[in-house]
Amino acid sequence: KEAGQGRSWNDEVREAVGLTLDEMFDLAQGPMSFALIDLPVNHEHKLDLVFSLGNPDPKKLRDAAAGVKEAIKKQSGGPIESESTFKGIAISAFGSREVTLYWALLDRTFVLTTTEERIQSLIAAHVDKKEGGLEKSAGYAKAKARVSKENRHFFLFYADVAGSLKTFRKEIGEEPRKALEKLGVTDITSLAMSLSYDGPHIRERYGMGTTSNARGIPKLFAGKPSPDEAAAWVPAGALYYSHASFTMTDIYDSMLAMTEINPEAAEVVHEEIAKFEKKIGLKIRDDFLATLGDSWTMFMSLPESGGVWPDSVAIVSLRDAARFESSLEKIAAALDQKIESIPFRGQTIKSFSVVTDPRPPEYSDPLLYGPMMSS
């Protein structure tokens, strides 16, 4: 800013955190990582977080750490501060009585932890060249091979789901744990995601490790590889296109399993479903959803006749077309909706209104209160 106009944004940031924005970007040119190992859910757990930042110039890291420490000291009015040595490497500690942060410089990598035990273990591994750690973990290696086999990622996320469930088993409780089992969460071993360089493109990849795909969430994602048989019907100029492979019965089962987390809620849901099934005269899952196939195609395109409001189209394969149509007619009748039929080129187009005209008698503006139709 000009003289008399106040300090610049960089000055404000430097006072708050000890570094300017330019200095932050300059430091962030090397590898950076976060590792969350434990959370303070009760007295048996505490925040165990590790942050590391690499840079070709270790002096920049050392100066930056000192600047941040001084800024925190000014902001907090005198934090706890100490210096110690472990295996020949200096450890600095600063923070408040509630949270103390520990940092050290390992060659060209700045390491920050929330516990002294953690930074000492990292120093020991660095100095003694101990084998082990996450890099040697079979679960991590398998997940990383799926999303970033050749280390071409600029961002990688990994979560040890099985390890987390084991660590917090007592805090989760018996009843919620049973619900997680029904949802198949306990069958998930890990989650991974990466953004990777791939020629001129940035590839986004996901990975889920499981011990079984027989229930809940893993079953939904397991699916089966299949071509999109309806792709030829999608216009070349479509604004949006997607294809998925799943069955509505699996989704229905998973949604019911979710209600088991609360037995009272589950009882209410089952009662309401039973009432609705009695009203329409069929079973939602076995008589209706089971008639749907597992190939879903969706796209949006502008009308060929012109207009700015795009057409939205969903195409799903059918396992039993006759049963599907019969079930749909029963559902429409139960909802007091009339199905209309229109012949077209030897086929029959059927439609029904899902929302009646909401226009109050005193209004007549069709732009505000026009009927909404769905075919």
Side-chain angles (χ1 to χ4, degrees), residues 25-254:
F25 282 116
D26 183 46
L27 283 173
Q29 299 306 308
M32 179 172 61
S33 69
F34 286 91
L36 180 61
I37 302 163
D38 201 356
L39 286 169
V41 293
N42 61 30
H43 68 280
E44 296 180 1
H45 300 269
K46 53 188 175 182
L47 180 62
D48 194 347
L49 176 69
V50 178
F51 166 75
S52 68
L53 175 65
N55 192 284
D57 187 350
K59 184 178 183 300
K60 287 184 178 181
L61 294 173
R62 189 179 298 108
D63 293 344
V68 172
K69 184 168 65 173
E70 286 303 313
I72 293 176
K73 186 175 181 179
K74 291 179 181 179
Q75 293 287 338
S76 61
I80 299 172
E81 185 175 351
S82 65
E83 298 285 342
S84 62
T85 301
F86 183 75
K87 290 186 177 292
I89 293 181
I91 299 176
S92 297
F94 61 94
S96 65
R97 295 187 181 276
E98 291 76 23
V99 179
T100 301
L101 302 178
Y102 303 85
W103 69 268
L105 196 61
L106 308 182
D107 290 340
R108 293 178 296 175
T109 302
F110 169 81
V111 179
L112 178 76
T113 71
T114 54
T115 68
E116 188 173 16
E117 298 85 354
R118 181 61 58 189
I119 200 163
Q120 288 181 352
S121 69
L122 293 173
I123 291 174
H126 171 71
V127 173
D128 302 333
K129 305 302 180 185
K130 291 182 178 178
E131 294 294 328
L134 184 64
E135 190 68 28
K136 302 298 181 181
S137 166
Y140 169 77
K142 186 176 181 179
K144 183 168 172 290
R146 287 186 175 275
V147 299
S148 184
K149 185 176 182 180
E150 299 177 353
N151 292 315
R152 295 185 61 81
H153 65 272
F154 65 89
F155 174 77
L156 174 67
F157 167 82
Y158 168 78
D160 181 2
V161 179
S164 299
L165 293 176
K166 183 178 180 180
T167 299
F168 297 105
R169 183 183 181 91
K170 184 189 301 183
E171 288 75 22
I172 292 174
E174 190 65 21
E175 289 301 321
R177 186 183 63 79
K178 290 180 179 179
L180 292 177
E181 288 180 353
K182 291 183 179 181
L183 285 173
V185 174
T186 53
D187 298 330
I188 300 174
T189 58
S190 65
L191 296 174
M193 177 261 182
S194 75
L195 296 175
S196 303
Y197 303 105
D198 191 356
H201 307 288
I202 299 297
R203 298 294 183 187
E204 186 175 345
R205 293 181 172 89
Y206 299 88
M208 176 190 290
T210 63
T211 56
S212 171
N213 296 331
R215 58 183 176 177
I217 295 173
K219 186 176 181 179
L220 291 179
F221 284 102
K224 66 176 183 178
S226 61
D228 183 4
E229 297 179 357
W233 299 342
V234 180
L239 304 176
Y240 158 81
Y241 161 78
S242 68
H243 176 252
S245 179
F246 61 85
T247 63
M248 288 302 296
T249 51
D250 288 342
I251 292 180
Y252 180 84
D253 293 340
S254 296

Side-chain angles (χ1 to χ4, degrees), residues 354-373:
V354 293
V355 179
T356 57
D357 188 348
R359 177 175 50 200
E362 62 270 23
Y363 292 98
S364 59
D365 189 343
L367 293 178
L368 295 178
Y369 296 99
M372 298 177 65
M373 300 293 292

Side-chain angles (χ1 to χ4, degrees), residues 341-350:
S341 296
I342 304 172
F344 182 76
R345 295 184 179 180
Q347 299 290 328
T348 300
I349 300 174
K350 295 188 176 182

